[in-house]
Amino acid sequence: MLELRQIRHRYRHQSLLDDVSLSVTPGQTVALLGASGSGKSTLLRIAAGLETPDAGQVHWDGADITRLPPERRHFALMFQDFALFPHLDLRDNVAFGLVEQGIRRAEARAQAEALLSRFGLGGRARERTTHLSGGEQQRVALARALITRPRALLLDEPFSALDAELRTQLQREFSTRIREAGMAAVLVTHDEAEARAMAERGWRLEGGRLRALW
């Protein structure tokens, strides 16, 4: 279980997160909604270990991981800007995390190609990411986030660049994979319909505090 306990964080001398607590069980998706600048992405970065809260703790299965570096948490964080490697083709972008885990490159590439095929990009596995549209880059980023089967999946507006049909398809795909893999997932989105389609619990972050929506 992923737990954020009494998180406090200031930004430019103003309180951004004020005593925020949140728990996500394995296989569950929790949605965070709120206005731009309300602190949703900051909360994800704290969960991922990319920022340290001013107060409070991050726990995984009861263990305090607040000071644990990001690479040892086994979480996946997907940003809005994709963060793909322009010098690698699609296959190696997706396979990168598996190779880092020690899986043989050939096996990692095979798994990457299979996942790209499920995302409708199997025939373009050898292309560079610079040749893709924004929506296609987002699909590659989604595949890369999923392939290592992280313990927790932290998603920041993951479907924002996709057309309606593909967005709905990937919402279903993600929901299925999250449940099957037993990942704890946090979804940041501005789209309440999307949040309700994917998440068992929904919260709105405003004024530095969480308010339950459902």
Side-chain angles (χ1 to χ4, degrees):
M1 177 187 292
L2 173 63
E3 295 178 276
L4 304 175
R5 299 183 181 179
Q6 298 178 305
I7 299 294
R8 294 178 181 270
H9 198 69
R10 297 180 67 82
Y11 179 70
R12 293 182 177 175
H13 308 295
Q14 294 186 342
S15 179
L16 185 63
L17 301 170
D18 183 14
D19 201 28
V20 171
S21 294
L22 182 70
S23 62
V24 192
T25 58
Q28 181 185 44
T29 300
V30 169
L32 292 179
L33 295 101
S36 296
S38 61
K40 304 184 304 297
S41 295
T42 298
L43 195 60
L44 282 193
R45 291 175 64 86
I46 288 172
L50 298 176
E51 291 193 34
T52 302
D54 296 329
Q57 304 88 37
V58 180
H59 286 248
W60 179 262
D61 283 349
D64 187 346
I65 62 169
T66 310
R67 303 293 173 180
L68 197 68
E71 64 273 13
R72 295 182 58 195
R73 297 192 184 197
H74 305 296
F75 295 173
L77 173 60
M78 190 186 142
F79 297 102
Q80 291 172 287
D81 61 359
F82 320 132
L84 299 176
F85 301 118
H87 63 289
L88 298 179
D89 61 23
L90 275 61
R91 178 183 63 177
D92 283 341
N93 260 280
V94 175
F96 181 82
L98 294 179
V99 174
E100 288 292 292
Q101 290 180 349
I103 294 177
R104 289 186 307 108
R105 188 175 302 275
E107 172 59 24
R109 284 175 165 174
Q111 290 188 40
E113 288 192 9
L115 190 54
L116 284 167
S117 293
R118 295 188 64 173
F119 279 26
L121 292 168
R124 306 182 67 181
R126 305 294 179 89
E127 291 186 24
R128 294 291 179 90
T129 59
T130 51
H131 298 162
L132 303 180
S133 68
E136 288 167 340
Q137 289 184 49
Q138 193 134 350
R139 288 153 73 186
V140 176
L142 291 172
R144 190 178 65 181
L146 282 177
I147 198 166
T148 58
R149 294 186 173 272
R151 301 191 300 184
L153 190 59
L154 310 173
L155 301 165
D156 193 347
E157 300 281 359
F159 309 113
S160 59
L162 306 180
D163 62 56
E165 182 178 354
L166 183 57
R167 187 183 306 127
T168 299
Q169 174 189 330
L170 289 182
Q171 286 169 6
R172 290 195 297 264
E173 174 86 11
F174 261 55
S175 296
T176 299
R177 285 176 173 270
I178 288 164
R179 287 192 299 269
E180 289 177 350
M183 292 182 285
V186 182
L187 169 70
V188 163
T189 179
H190 286 89
D191 187 337
E192 186 167 339
E194 175 177 279
R196 289 184 179 274
M198 290 190 65
E200 290 86 347
R201 297 292 308 275
W203 301 84
R204 184 173 299 279
L205 183 58
E206 52 188 3
R209 293 179 176 268
L210 289 177
R211 176 170 61 86
L213 294 177
W214 68 86

